[in-house]
Amino acid sequence: MSSIFTKIINGEIPSYKVAENENFYAFLDINPNAKGHTLVVPKKEVNKLFDLEESLYNELMSFSRQIGLAIEKCIPCNRVGMAVIGLEVPHVHVHLIPLKKMEDIQFKKKEKLEPEEFEAIAKKIAENL
Ligand code: 5GP
């Protein structure tokens, strides 16, 4: 069965898309730690980060860097943090999280956003790529 992220990539489940290329899809996390929390996912469905073939792993880091730089340009924060967890969704994804303080990387306190705000944030990050 396809992962929830494969369904998002295929457009079967809606998402607030930030960017896409041949191998990767970036979109806003639906339950964000902070405004601008973005997930970067390889289209190839692989469970664990270090099981990616090395070239795809390197491309994922490079693509994530581009998105992270765009987030830094338009979302007020001290820096963009990066985490790979995958305990909830077994399809590799990089979390890019705008950080103001250490707690923002802890996946405890969540932001509640309206659809219009998600849309505006995704658009702003995309425009800064
Ligand atoms: P992890 O697998 O890294 O522990 O967490 C998975 C992340 O995916 C969580 O931050 C969760 O909010 C996010 N997530 C789970 N399902 C969806 C979804 O359907 N849409 C979006 N945009 N994010 C999701």
Side-chain angles (χ1 to χ4, degrees):
M1 207 180 79
S2 301
S3 77
I4 192 155
F5 289 164
T6 294
K7 288 180 181 157
I8 286 175
I9 291 161
N10 292 338
E12 295 163 39
I13 293 176
S15 67
Y16 299 101
K17 179 169 135 177
V18 168
E20 179 176 15
N21 71 9
E22 191 190 345
N23 291 326
F24 303 101
Y25 190 89
F27 58 105
L28 296 182
D29 194 299
I30 205 66
N31 191 22
N33 290 20
K35 286 178 189 177
H37 181 167
T38 300
L39 301 176
V40 185
V41 182
K43 291 184 177 177
K44 184 171 182 187
E45 200 175 312
V46 171
N47 180 354
K48 295 190 283 179
L49 178 71
F50 298 130
D51 287 341
L52 285 176
E53 56 200 87
E54 193 172 350
S55 59
L56 197 62
Y57 172 87
N58 288 335
E59 267 186 66
L60 172 64
M61 292 302 134
S62 172
F63 192 71
S64 299
R65 176 175 176 270
Q66 288 172 36
I67 309 287
L69 290 170
I71 293 172
E72 267 178 10
K73 278 191 208 154
C74 64
I75 304 289
C77 62
N78 291 336
R79 62 184 56 225
V80 173
M82 187 165 147
V84 176
I85 302 166
L87 289 171
E88 184 186 328
V89 180
H91 180 159
V92 173
H93 50 284
V94 171
H95 293 263
L96 297 173
I97 305 168
L99 304 176
K100 288 181 179 158
K101 51 193 184 319
M102 186 65 95
E103 292 74 48
D104 295 333
I105 199 84
Q106 288 181 353
F107 295 84
K108 284 181 180 162
K109 206 172 132 278
K110 296 292 183 166
E111 288 271 348
K112 276 268 165 278
L113 304 179
E114 296 299 323
E116 297 74 30
E117 200 164 10
F118 273 114
E119 271 164 32
I121 292 168
K123 186 164 178 274
K124 203 157 58 166
I125 298 171
E127 283 169 356
N128 278 277
L129 278 166

